[in-house]
Amino acid sequence: MLDQTHAPGLRSFVASANGHPDFPIQNLPLGIFSTVGTSLRGGVAIGDSVLDLPALADADLLTGAAADAAAATASGSLNALFALGAGPRQALRAALSALLAEGSAKQAQVEKFLYPTSDVTLHLPARIGDYTDFYAGIQHAENVGRQFRPDNPLLPNYKYVPIGYHGRASSVVLTGTALHRPKGQRKPASETVPSYGPCRNLDYELELGIWIGQGNALGEEIAIADAASHIAGYCLLNDWSARDIQGWEYQPLGPFLAKSFGTTISPWVITPEALAPFRIAQAPRPNGDPAPLPYLWDEADQAGGAIDLRLDVLLMTPGLKEKGLPPHLLGRSNTKHLYWTPAQFVAHHSGNGCNLNPGDLFGSGTISGPSESAYGSLLEITNGGRKPVTLASGEERRFLEDGDEIFLVARAEKDGVAGIGFGECRGTILPAR
Ligand code: MN
């Protein structure tokens, strides 16, 4: 799994990459960018720069499968590259690593295709045909379930079924896109009939996003042993949630308008190769929990299918900004707390023959850890709004207010390995229209 592209001592001639918190040469995440007056195309983040992928292929700086992978991004989305599968993506990584390394014989030619990230516009990395949100954060499921069923927080299916729902692809937006507070039907217990108006209990959800690579034909399932090879990469995902609208609308069919007003993702696709050093065993299930059914069980997936990735949620409010105070750390969690692996999502989703397509997006579900400081939503942190958070500015928050900004941050670290990050995933809430 690990090769010379992961070597901790590897450095790039792009000086800003060396020691970069997110994008050292060991990361090489893929995205879609444009510069003023040019069309959208694929790029790779290296330090504070973006390298133009189709231009490298056009200039014959790449050959074979790596050139095919780079050229596939010329259409302005990564869907065609995702469809090529793992081999060409891995060839591209190896070639980019060599081209960008310190001492690269091609440095002068490569430099012509580097742009400062501050000068480019980033776009959604893929045309998202379908977006599915899972519910695999078991601490979150227990914390939320406890608010409604104190003695029996998890429903009987939870430990057998990777629970999910079909989300809305059209309203997935890139980091930095401000969203208006949604309006909808609200019916607090104190009122006898619902009213339509701005959400009063607006929340975020800290999630891992999963990009689907090669898909499957309708009617064909993806075996759990092959499932990981259908994942093209990962991102951060904020599943904004209108809790009051959700509480009224969700029975009996589940989330709908409380979720579909917006989902924010980070722009860079962090490849499975970049995350290889941070793979860990799936945590053993507690005594008494059922084993996953055979179609969800694979020894290799259990041995290395989970990811050790630290996740932070930060809140910036108008009051903090006004006083020059830093953002408030709402929670610090880790993807290792997920009850199901990404490969299990793929095997389950396709287990009925449902066809997945390149560029489909999954959300993991809110990733809360076991302690209160690791909760991934305000619903949990404030116990449904009953216990407000007090900020250094003197402000209080039960749920999000207009002007609040949520930042998600991911960081993978391990001794003897170059750490990597995901780049930013942030969004501001504007007043309801
Ligand atoms: Mn969610």
Side-chain angles (χ1 to χ4, degrees):
M1 284 285 271
L2 300 191
D3 57 31
Q4 74 285 352
T5 66
H6 300 97
L10 190 64
R11 293 167 60 84
S12 173
F13 68 75
V14 179
S16 64
N18 302 318
H20 195 280
D22 289 332
F23 309 130
I25 192 169
Q26 290 85 358
N27 193 345
L28 302 175
L30 305 168
I32 292 291
F33 79 104
S34 62
T35 52
V36 178
T38 68
S39 55
L40 277 63
R41 65 237 194 238
V44 61
I46 178 76
D48 294 331
S49 296
V50 176
L51 180 60
D52 186 327
L53 290 173
L56 289 180
D58 285 346
D60 291 330
L61 289 164
L62 297 168
T63 58
D68 295 343
T73 70
S75 64
S77 84
L78 297 181
N79 296 69
L81 185 154
F82 288 172
L84 294 174
R89 186 184 69 232
Q90 290 162 356
L92 179 61
R93 174 181 170 87
L96 290 172
S97 179
L99 285 174
L100 287 164
E102 232 170 37
S104 165
K106 302 285 172 58
Q107 176 174 344
Q109 289 155 276
V110 171
E111 275 174 339
K112 289 190 285 190
F113 305 121
L114 280 170
Y115 298 87
T117 306
S118 55
D119 290 354
V120 311
T121 302
L122 296 172
H123 304 271
L124 282 176
R127 292 185 312 277
I128 304 166
D130 278 297
Y131 159 51
T132 300
D133 196 24
F134 285 90
Y135 196 54
I138 189 169
Q139 315 285 349
H140 171 77
E142 283 177 344
N143 292 337
V144 174
R146 201 173 289 117
Q147 294 184 16
F148 301 98
R149 299 174 300 277
D151 300 327
N152 188 23
L154 290 183
L155 292 167
N157 57 6
Y158 190 85
K159 291 176 177 176
Y160 290 95
V161 181
I163 300 291
Y165 68 95
H166 288 294
R168 182 78 192 170
S170 67
S171 54
V172 177
V173 298
L174 203 68
T175 182
T177 307
L179 292 169
H180 287 273
R181 177 177 298 272
K183 291 187 281 191
Q185 285 200 23
R186 313 150 305 176
K187 202 204 80 64
S190 56
E191 292 168 20
T192 51
V193 292
S195 60
Y196 174 80
C199 167
R200 295 169 177 136
N201 295 350
L202 187 57
D203 202 354
Y204 62 89
E205 291 190 338
L206 169 64
E207 304 199 18
L208 180 70
I210 296 152
W211 290 104
I212 296 301
Q214 282 180 320
N216 58 305
L218 181 62
E220 251 174 42
E221 63 204 83
I222 297 172
I224 180 72
D226 298 330
S229 72
H230 289 260
I231 294 173
Y234 298 86
C235 64
L236 281 163
L237 186 149
N238 180 352
D239 175 25
W240 302 98
S241 297
R243 300 300 183 193
D244 46 350
I245 297 168
Q246 186 177 359
W248 170 238
E249 77 172 5
Y250 86 106
Q251 300 192 71
L253 287 186
F256 185 32
L257 303 179
K259 301 285 194 173
S260 61
F261 61 92
T263 303
T264 302
I265 61 170
S266 56
W268 294 105
V269 177
I270 311 299
T271 64
E273 291 70 51
L275 282 173
F278 312 101
R279 288 284 176 174
I280 54 172
Q282 177 68 351
R285 291 187 162 197
N287 278 338
D289 281 13
L293 294 179
Y295 81 103
L296 295 173
W297 180 267
D298 177 69
E299 292 291 344
D301 183 46
Q302 292 296 312
I307 305 167
D308 182 3
L309 179 70
R310 195 183 79 206
L311 302 169
D312 287 349
V313 184
L314 297 139
L315 167 68
M316 180 53 99
T317 64
L320 288 167
K321 207 175 286 177
E322 192 181 308
K323 294 194 156 88
L325 294 165
H328 177 87
L329 179 66
L330 283 168
R332 169 165 289 186
S333 188
N334 192 301
T335 46
K336 69 185 179 188
H337 299 306
L338 290 168
Y339 194 72
W340 301 98
T341 67
Q344 287 174 319
F345 295 153
V346 171
H348 181 65
H349 203 312
S350 65
N352 66 345
C354 171
N355 48 330
L356 306 178
N357 287 303
D360 282 359
L361 178 67
F362 292 176
S364 61
T366 309
I367 307 172
S368 292
S371 72
E372 277 189 42
S373 64
Y375 289 173
S377 68
L378 281 170
L379 181 66
E380 295 162 272
I381 294 169
T382 69
N383 193 22
R386 285 177 278 271
K387 195 184 72 177
V389 177
T390 303
L391 309 176
S393 54
E395 296 165 294
E396 280 192 348
R397 285 293 181 274
R398 295 166 194 275
F399 289 99
L400 297 173
E401 303 284 339
D402 294 345
D404 285 357
E405 186 171 28
I406 289 289
F407 301 71
L408 308 185
V409 179
R411 175 87 186 150
E413 284 172 345
K414 185 180 170 184
D415 284 347
V417 172
I420 62 170
F422 274 42
E424 66 166 34
C425 180
R426 64 183 177 85
T428 301
I429 296 302
L430 302 175
R433 280 197 222 258

